[in-house]
Amino acid sequence: MDDSISELPDEILINVLSRLTMKEAVLASVLSIRWRYLWKFFSGCLDFDDPLTMADLKYDLGMGTEALDVERNKFTSWVNFVLRSLQCRTIEGLRICFDVVSDDDIGNWINFATERRVQKLELDFTKVQFGSRIRQYNFTSHLDSYSNFRSLTSLRLTCLDITGEAVENLLSNCPLLEVLSVNNSNCFKSLKVSGASLKLRRLELKYLSGFVDLEIDAANLISFEFFAYETTVSFVNVPNLAEVHIACTYSQYFMHNLNQFSSFLSQLRTLKLELQSVKVPEAVPYNIPILFDLKHLELTIKVNDDDCFLPCAAFLKASPSLHRLTLKLFKVEPSSGFVRTVKDHPYVSLRDLSIREVELIGFMGLSTDTEFLICLIENAKQLDKVTLYPCPPFFLGKPIELCHRDTKEYQSIRKRAVEFAANYPQLDFVIP
Amino acid sequence: MASSSSSSSCSSSSEKKITLKSSDGEALNVEKNVALEFEPAKGFLEDNSEEADDEAIVVPLPNVSAAVLSELIPYVKQRLELSAKPVQKKLIKAFDDQFTRHLSDDKLGELMLAANYLGVNYLLDVLCDVTADRIKNKSVEYVREFLGIQNDFTPEEEAELRAQCPWAFEGVDQD
């Protein structure tokens, strides 16, 4: 770039830096004397996350909490050092993900976020050790003045406590809020999402113990993720809802009462259902309303015996425009010695499928999943891409995936997948 | 549409031409609304607003070469047309991408300087984005080379800086 950059004023160099990650911005301090302090004016998204150390800590739990305390101190002093150094009056985003327990630090970070009028705030204090009742930071205590949070466009909280009432107040006081995610909160009872000026596009509510009542009236809502147990949900008005992801026992209720959701099922483009805790065949929905617009279906299923693919077959029949099918398979020992494949089942007749792409995550190469795959291949004339991940779904994308790749089990499943693929030279197989 | 320029009395300023004079002495004719996007030109035109005939005005831009101006003018013109319509942000983004995709690194630097001098902030933003994209995940040495920065630290000073923020250098290629 010749040396034209040297003629630019600092503010533009800072503009460039703020589009990098915070680490890259700090890295730029060694470029030259002029660049040394520029990173302190970084105004982009601050990302404090240390997934590898968290994974190591989980793995090494045997060595006690001392190691955990050392890592916590290292982490908090890193965050504190950076936050103290930053001079910019506004910050685009703040993301902090680690097993942090010191209330003082957490409180200071949240205050930093509100003082700098952060737009995207994500706090994830997931614990390394899952104790019976670990006390969590109370986020609600920061909400005595909601106006502090007015600039928020995205708020994600994991393992912090917030009440449903506080969330309702946030929704009515944060006119720009588009993304809201609450994960693992203890004092969440009920929530009414409504308001004429609500911008909310994405709502995620996961593992909220004691959550009993949810009402959604959100004209702009596009995406809804709901991992819940005994909650009653009423969808009052969701004309734009296009992506739904449901897990935990609520998925059983959902499956059994599909007709109740017919108002938005026909407009969905993506549906993800985790059915590993749902009993089959009782869960098989026999009367699925037609999902006219559904393009992507993702089902998580327990592969044990008999009829585990029946829910999938039922959804396939009800989805005339489906393009992509993702199956996440959990291996469970068969309860009976006999494994009936879906092909033999009288209920199933999968003809003229519209799918073009199939992904099997946790492919095992057993008779069950292989037969079902053959069934799909034979009945989907437009199918051209098949992806087989020999790795269990809960390993995928995590550090443990790499270790798993070295195991004999992985190697032999992968070999089976490659052999299977050789039978269908007309298809594009991806076997990572 | 071009033929309609003389037809109506309320023809907008967009059809009036202004002359810009580049650092290397070339005269470029541009629509007035395009010229108004350049801060120094806007200021000059306001100062000389008593001049009856816009056509006679020559705005000197002593910091921008003709080569750079002739890249900037069509960009600004099309961008103005796009923003006048109720188009989606996506379209503007696609247009910006198309403009920046084939820029050489040297040209990128020149355009940034010019956009900064001319106060075309929307272009400057786009160029900052492109620059950030091109130095993402790159080693310190690469970034120095790319931006044409002379390392004026002593090796000791640089080592000390690196030691201050060890977490920033973890997992980075130290080539």
Side-chain angles (χ1 to χ4, degrees):
Chain A
M1 214 188 244
D2 295 339
D3 56 352
S4 40
I5 203 94
S6 65
E7 295 172 45
L8 288 167
D10 283 353
E11 60 189 81
I12 294 176
L13 305 186
I14 291 164
N15 186 336
V16 172
L17 281 185
S18 293
R19 293 161 195 271
L20 299 169
T21 66
M22 179 200 55
K23 271 193 181 182
E24 286 165 338
V26 174
L27 216 64
S29 64
V30 300
L31 287 174
S32 73
I33 291 174
R34 181 180 178 199
W35 286 77
R36 180 165 176 180
Y37 297 114
L38 289 182
W39 72 273
K40 298 194 173 187
F41 297 91
F42 181 84
S43 64
C45 290
L46 301 168
D47 189 351
F48 299 97
D49 190 359
D50 197 348
L52 288 177
T53 308
M54 278 289 274
D56 282 349
L57 285 169
K58 267 186 189 144
Y59 186 75
D60 290 342
L61 223 54
M63 67 193 193
T65 54
E66 233 167 80
L68 184 58
D69 281 336
V70 171
E71 292 301 332
R72 274 179 184 145
N73 281 335
K74 246 165 87 179
F75 184 87
T76 48
S77 49
W78 170 37
V79 179
N80 288 335
F81 169 79
V82 174
L83 296 195
R84 233 186 2 253
S85 308
L86 290 174
Q87 320 253 321
C88 224
R89 292 173 66 187
T90 61
I91 295 283
E92 189 184 338
L94 175 63
R95 177 171 184 269
I96 303 179
C97 305
F98 203 78
D99 177 351
V100 182
V101 288
S102 70
D103 283 2
D104 289 348
D105 286 312
I106 296 174
N108 288 336
W109 300 339
I110 297 171
N111 289 337
F112 172 91
T114 54
E115 282 160 17
R116 310 285 172 112
R117 279 169 269 145
V118 142
Q119 296 161 40
K120 298 175 196 157
L121 178 62
E122 176 172 354
L123 302 171
D124 178 350
F125 301 135
T126 300
K127 302 287 175 280
V128 169
Q129 290 160 302
F130 279 102
S132 50
R133 275 239 151 240
I134 295 175
R135 194 190 57 81
Q136 299 196 140
Y137 188 83
N138 182 7
F139 189 82
T140 307
S141 66
H142 283 270
L143 299 175
D144 42 8
S145 171
Y146 288 94
S147 58
N148 289 342
F149 292 87
R150 281 189 73 85
S151 42
L152 278 184
T153 59
S154 167
L155 177 65
R156 295 176 168 275
L157 303 174
T158 300
C159 291
L160 286 94
D161 285 344
I162 184 167
T163 64
E165 194 190 352
V167 169
E168 283 171 14
N169 282 325
L170 270 174
L171 284 171
S172 54
N173 283 285
C174 301
L176 308 172
L177 198 66
E178 291 188 7
V179 178
L180 175 67
S181 168
V182 184
N183 192 339
N184 258 298
S185 176
N186 289 320
C187 37
F188 214 89
K189 297 245 161 9
S190 71
L191 174 65
K192 199 169 166 182
V193 179
S194 67
S197 59
L198 208 60
K199 277 244 172 59
L200 199 66
R201 294 159 64 84
R202 199 179 174 87
L203 177 64
E204 298 170 10
L205 301 170
K206 300 178 182 177
Y207 311 112
L208 308 175
S209 59
F211 189 23
V212 288
D213 205 12
L214 171 65
E215 185 182 315
I216 304 181
D217 176 359
N220 293 309
L221 193 70
I222 293 172
S223 163
F224 178 50
E225 291 190 27
F226 194 53
F227 298 6
Y229 307 97
E230 306 299 321
T231 317
T232 317
V233 189
S234 57
F235 295 90
V236 177
N237 180 33
V238 283
N240 283 304
L241 189 60
E243 300 164 17
V244 167
H245 183 174
I246 291 176
C248 302
T249 48
Y250 190 77
S251 53
Q252 177 152 5
Y253 178 84
F254 185 78
M255 291 282 278
H256 285 172
N257 298 277
L258 281 167
N259 281 308
Q260 198 182 310
F261 304 101
S262 54
S263 65
F264 65 81
L265 281 178
S266 61
Q267 73 198 31
L268 287 189
R269 297 178 67 82
T270 301
L271 176 62
K272 299 181 180 185
L273 282 175
E274 299 192 21
L275 303 174
Q276 65 270 44
S277 59
V278 179
K279 265 200 187 158
V280 174
E282 291 96 309
V284 179
Y286 286 90
N287 269 319
I288 305 186
I290 302 291
L291 297 137
F292 288 103
D293 274 342
L294 196 68
K295 295 281 182 293
H296 181 200
L297 174 67
E298 179 185 299
L299 297 178
T300 305
I301 15 188
K302 203 161 60 180
V303 178
N304 48 0
D305 53 355
D306 297 16
D307 306 316
C308 60
F309 286 105
L310 284 181
C312 179
F315 273 107
L316 283 174
K317 287 178 82 174
S319 312
S321 28
L322 196 68
H323 272 202
R324 184 166 154 219
L325 172 68
T326 305
L327 292 175
K328 294 185 168 179
L329 307 177
F330 281 83
K331 187 181 173 184
V332 180
E333 293 309 319
S335 58
S336 62
F338 174 67
V339 175
R340 179 165 61 189
T341 62
V342 79
K343 237 183 167 176
D344 310 326
H345 202 286
Y347 170 66
V348 180
S349 59
L350 293 175
R351 264 192 296 276
D352 302 328
L353 297 175
S354 58
I355 43 170
R356 296 173 184 192
E357 192 184 338
V358 171
E359 282 174 298
L360 288 192
I361 299 170
F363 176 75
M364 287 161 241
L366 303 174
S367 58
T368 351
D369 54 354
T370 314
E371 288 288 330
F372 188 66
L373 187 55
I374 293 172
C375 185
L376 292 176
I377 292 174
E378 287 175 352
N379 292 291
K381 294 279 170 289
Q382 300 181 72
L383 184 70
D384 57 15
K385 188 174 173 193
V386 178
T387 308
L388 302 176
Y389 289 92
C391 168
F394 44 90
F395 286 178
L396 206 68
K398 298 191 182 134
I400 194 170
E401 186 189 345
L402 293 175
C403 308
H404 184 71
R405 278 169 182 253
D406 294 333
T407 60
K408 276 215 178 83
E409 188 196 353
Y410 178 91
Q411 297 297 339
S412 75
I413 295 177
R414 196 174 183 284
K415 197 167 152 243
R416 260 178 274 167
V418 172
E419 285 167 7
F420 179 84
N423 298 325
Y424 300 94
Q426 78 277 19
L427 296 176
D428 176 15
F429 270 88
V430 180
I431 304 168
Chain B
M1 285 305 266
S3 61
S4 69
S5 57
S6 58
S7 63
S8 88
S9 57
C10 64
S11 70
S12 71
S13 60
S14 68
E15 281 130 8
K16 289 184 185 164
K17 294 272 189 173
I18 299 284
T19 305
L20 303 177
K21 197 172 168 200
S22 70
S23 61
D24 39 352
E26 230 174 277
L28 293 100
N29 262 327
V30 296
E31 285 82 358
K32 190 175 180 182
N33 67 332
V34 173
L36 285 174
E37 291 293 294
F38 302 144
E39 292 291 342
K42 193 178 171 196
F44 188 90
L45 289 172
E46 277 165 5
D47 292 344
N48 296 280
S49 56
E50 70 279 5
E51 188 83 45
D53 185 9
D54 281 335
E55 308 268 339
I57 298 179
V58 177
V59 182
L61 294 173
N63 287 322
V64 194
S65 70
V68 171
L69 268 180
S70 54
E71 297 236 14
L72 272 177
I73 290 166
Y75 168 83
V76 169
K77 194 175 168 204
Q78 286 194 51
R79 176 73 197 245
L80 276 178
E81 281 166 13
L82 266 184
S83 354
K85 293 178 206 153
V87 288
Q88 288 173 317
K89 277 187 182 153
K90 261 199 286 191
L91 271 174
I92 294 184
K93 170 102 180 49
F95 170 69
D96 285 340
D97 283 349
Q98 202 190 355
F99 178 70
T100 53
R101 195 174 305 142
H102 302 294
L103 287 180
S104 70
D105 297 340
D106 287 346
K107 183 65 88 190
L108 179 61
E110 286 171 18
L111 280 175
M112 264 174 118
L113 268 182
N116 178 50
Y117 166 69
L118 297 172
V120 188
N121 290 329
Y122 47 85
L123 176 61
L124 192 56
D125 257 8
V126 173
L127 297 173
C128 283
D129 219 31
V130 174
T131 309
D133 236 34
R134 292 191 189 176
I135 60 175
K136 255 192 175 96
N137 289 317
K138 297 292 197 287
S139 69
V140 170
E141 288 68 24
Y142 179 94
V143 177
R144 267 193 204 123
E145 167 85 30
F146 181 89
L147 298 175
I149 297 171
Q150 284 291 322
N151 179 12
D152 46 10
F153 286 121
T154 65
E156 294 76 26
E157 283 171 332
E158 189 178 332
E160 199 189 318
L161 264 180
R162 286 178 187 256
Q164 270 176 17
C165 310
W167 43 268
F169 296 90
E170 272 167 23
V172 175
D173 194 10
Q174 302 278 336
D175 56 15

